[in-house]
Amino acid sequence: MNPSVRNILVCVTQQKTCERLIKKALEFSNAGDSIYIIHVAKDNWSFLDNDREGEALEYLFGIAKSVGANLTVLRSDDIVDTIVEYARENKIDILVMGDSKGDHSENYFYKSLKLSLDHVEIHVVPN
């Protein structure tokens, strides 16, 4: 296996605006790199009953397919641990995530990921 090949993980929400995160991952990628896209929904979130969120996820599935990536949707009440586990299982080298809107919980989200994935290069994309 080529040691310069990297695995890139994009963390998305159920919003069409997350397309910018996928495009940013493409900027970081080189030929042969793999791009993974993940959306973690809390167990009690019902995105399939919500037309807007379902439509956004369908849109993101299309974007993922167009860049040769898979969009994985997982359910968990512990979003950070789920992303960390997924990143470790898939040997992720670079993680791309969106910026918060000044929300301190997002700050916590970034810090928790950074602490658990200290070997992963994390890029926060501004809104």
Side-chain angles (χ1 to χ4, degrees):
M1 188 165 162
N2 185 344
S4 63
V5 172
R6 299 169 303 164
N7 293 323
I8 302 170
L9 177 61
V10 185
C11 299
V12 299
T13 62
Q14 67 280 12
Q15 298 173 357
K16 289 183 179 181
T17 56
C18 288
E19 178 180 0
R20 78 187 195 294
L21 302 176
I22 298 168
K23 287 181 177 177
K24 182 55 81 173
L26 284 174
E27 290 176 23
F28 292 126
S29 71
N30 299 313
D33 288 351
S34 295
I35 297 178
Y36 299 82
I37 303 168
I38 187 173
H39 169 63
V40 182
K42 288 205 174 208
D43 285 326
N44 62 347
W45 288 353
S46 177
F47 54 83
L48 295 178
D49 293 336
N50 181 323
D51 288 343
R52 201 162 163 205
E53 291 176 6
E55 180 184 309
L57 278 176
E58 193 172 314
Y59 176 78
L60 290 172
F61 269 115
I63 298 296
K65 188 175 178 182
S66 74
V67 300
N70 287 321
L71 172 59
T72 301
V73 178
L74 300 173
R75 284 196 170 280
S76 173
D77 282 331
D78 194 332
I79 294 172
V80 170
D81 280 353
T82 302
I83 292 171
V84 166
E85 183 179 328
Y86 186 89
R88 287 182 178 149
E89 286 173 4
N90 292 285
K91 298 176 176 44
I92 297 300
D93 302 295
I94 299 172
L95 186 143
V96 178
M97 61 182 272
D99 195 6
S100 67
K101 297 173 184 163
D103 184 345
H104 294 293
S105 65
E106 280 298 314
N107 231 353
Y108 165 79
F109 185 72
Y110 167 79
K111 287 177 184 173
S112 298
L113 286 174
K114 189 67 185 156
L115 189 63
S116 297
L117 298 171
D118 58 348
H119 68 285
V120 175
E121 189 180 310
I122 298 179
H123 294 273
V124 179
V125 180
N127 289 331

